């Protein structure tokens, strides 16, 4: 017993103290360090974008958006996001449903493919598309013979954006669907529901907030992607320049006000995305709390 008591006391002493037991000065120091980091690396650069954009007044700020190339860049960014996000939504739902609900050969390969854009540099992704669809690429001569433009054209920008953004929806849904299990789907099928009815009435409602969260992240990355798009676009003014590429061109031409004006629009879109992301997170937590509190509630989304 004495040996057991000593081991118990040693184990208790080895356990880390709760954060609430830390001295006040430690809490203040950690909070100050975190706040200073946020201010120096996030708040100050973000504020500098708006300060530089408005340095010559509101008239010069709004004049930056009246240029045809600026409008073309804005339209192209919205068009690319409008194509890439729905396609990634469909892929993310299908991939996450297959990975979380079924066992099949090649499942680990599919998971690795979903994670591939996280491991591959966006610039390398763009070069891959040039290798495949460029004039000297594998399909380049055939595409040129049929007057099909992909590289240095809008389709190439769309393909590059899809590649770098397609993990976001799937990676949000896979752990959520795995946590929920397959009991509800099995119950629906036993009650006579078809696979399609089970998906629409059971699976999709359970993951709707996670799906919306993934779509928000995917849209933010699609609007702000630079590396892969820069390689495949050719930087053609008014044709293949998205907003990030347009900012780079303006800055390289020493047109700082116009460059920071377009950059401020991207920053505003990022802030809106952050607000939406926060609201969705709050709604997800509230939904999970309600489900846990409900009689018989055992898991998130049930």
């Amino acid at each position: 017993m004495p040996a057991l008591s000593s081991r118990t006391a040693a184990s208790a002493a080895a356990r880390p103290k709760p954060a609430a037991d830390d001295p006040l000065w430690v809490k203040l120091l950690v909070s100050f360090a975190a706040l200073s980091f946020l201010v120096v690396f996030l708040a100050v650069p973000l504020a500098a974008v708006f300060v530089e954009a408005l340095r010559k007044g509101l008239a010069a700020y709004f004049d930056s958006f009246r240029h045809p190339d600026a409008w073309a860049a804005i339209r192209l960014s919205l068009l690319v996001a409008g194509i890439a996000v729905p396609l990634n939504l469909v892929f993310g739902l299908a991939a996450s449903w297959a990975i979380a609900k079924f066992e099949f050969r090649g499942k680990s390969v599919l998971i690795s493919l979903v994670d591939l854009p996280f491991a591959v540099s966006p610039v390398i992704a763009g070069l891959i598309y040039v290798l495949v669809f460029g004039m000297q690429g594998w399909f380049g001569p055939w595409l040129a013979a049929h007057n099909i433009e992909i590289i240095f054209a809008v389709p190439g920008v769309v393909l590059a954006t899809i590649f770098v953004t397609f993990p976001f929806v799937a990676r949000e849904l896979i752990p959520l669907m795995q946590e929920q299990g397959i009991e509800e789907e099995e119950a629906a099928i036993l009650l006579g529901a078809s696979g399609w009815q089970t998906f629409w009435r059971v699976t999709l409602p359970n993951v709707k907030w996670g799906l919306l969260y993934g779509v928000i992240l995917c849209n933010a990355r699609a609007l702000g992607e630079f590396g892969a798009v820069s390689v495949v676009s050719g930087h053609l003014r008014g044709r293949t320049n998205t907003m990030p590429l347009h900012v780079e061109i303006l800055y390289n031409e020493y047109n700082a006000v116009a460059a920071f004006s377009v950059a401020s629009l991207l920053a505003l879109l990022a802030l809106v995305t952050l607000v939406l992301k926060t609201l969705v997170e709050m709604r997800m937590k509230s939904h999970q709390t309600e489900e846990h509190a409900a009689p018989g509630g055992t898991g998130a989304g049930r």
Side-chain angles (χ1 to χ4, degrees):
M1 286 296 292
L4 180 61
S5 300
S6 62
R7 284 198 299 268
T8 304
S11 175
R15 294 194 194 106
K17 294 191 302 180
D21 295 339
D22 290 333
L24 178 60
W25 69 268
V26 173
K27 299 177 184 178
L28 292 176
L29 180 62
V30 172
S31 299
F32 177 77
L35 183 60
S36 299
F37 183 90
L38 291 175
V39 170
V40 172
F41 292 100
L42 292 177
V44 171
L46 186 62
V49 170
F50 291 95
V51 170
E52 288 296 320
L54 297 170
R55 183 160 50 89
K56 294 185 178 180
L58 285 174
Y61 178 82
F62 288 112
D63 282 342
S64 302
F65 297 104
R66 294 194 178 99
H67 196 281
D69 289 346
W71 275 111
I74 295 171
R75 287 196 300 269
L76 181 59
S77 293
L78 296 177
L79 173 65
V80 170
I83 296 173
V85 173
L87 290 178
N88 285 325
L89 185 152
V90 174
F91 168 80
L93 274 173
S96 57
W97 194 26
I99 291 171
K101 305 296 183 180
F102 303 99
E103 293 295 332
F104 54 91
R105 283 185 178 182
K107 182 175 179 178
S108 59
V109 176
L110 179 57
I111 296 174
S112 298
L113 290 176
V114 169
D115 292 334
L116 183 63
F118 289 141
V120 175
S121 167
V123 174
I124 300 301
L127 289 175
I128 291 172
Y129 281 109
V130 172
L131 174 64
V132 174
F133 300 113
M135 287 296 297
Q136 307 300 321
W138 297 347
F139 303 111
W142 184 89
L143 293 171
H146 292 80
N147 294 321
I148 301 175
E149 294 183 341
I150 293 182
I151 302 302
F152 303 156
V154 174
V157 176
V158 173
L159 287 174
T161 304
I162 290 174
F163 178 85
V164 298
T165 57
F166 81 78
F168 287 91
V169 176
R171 265 297 156 204
E172 289 298 323
L173 293 182
I174 289 172
L176 183 58
M177 287 188 177
Q178 288 175 333
E179 181 184 357
Q180 291 172 352
I182 60 174
E183 291 84 1
E184 293 187 13
E185 283 83 356
E186 289 178 341
I189 292 174
L190 288 175
L191 291 173
S194 65
W196 192 245
Q197 289 174 324
T198 301
F199 175 78
W200 278 104
R201 298 183 180 181
V202 178
T203 304
L204 191 58
N206 283 344
V207 300
K208 60 183 179 181
W209 294 110
L211 177 63
L212 182 57
Y213 186 83
V215 167
I216 291 172
L217 294 179
C218 180
N219 183 69
R221 179 63 187 274
L223 289 173
E225 174 56 29
F226 179 85
V229 171
S230 178
V231 174
V232 302
S233 70
H235 294 266
L236 303 179
R237 287 177 178 268
R239 291 184 55 194
T240 61
N241 274 347
T242 58
M243 282 192 284
L245 301 184
H246 188 61
V247 170
E248 182 197 30
I249 289 178
L250 292 174
Y251 189 77
N252 289 337
E253 293 177 346
Y254 303 101
N255 191 351
V257 172
F260 281 105
S261 296
V262 179
S264 70
L265 179 58
L266 282 171
L268 285 173
L269 292 173
L271 291 174
V272 171
T273 300
L274 181 62
V275 171
L276 292 175
K277 172 179 170 291
T278 303
L279 292 175
V280 170
E281 285 178 336
M282 293 172 58
R283 186 63 185 89
M284 287 176 64
K285 291 179 181 178
S286 174
H287 181 70
Q288 291 173 1
T289 302
E290 291 173 0
E291 293 295 339
H292 280 293
T298 58
R302 296 186 184 180

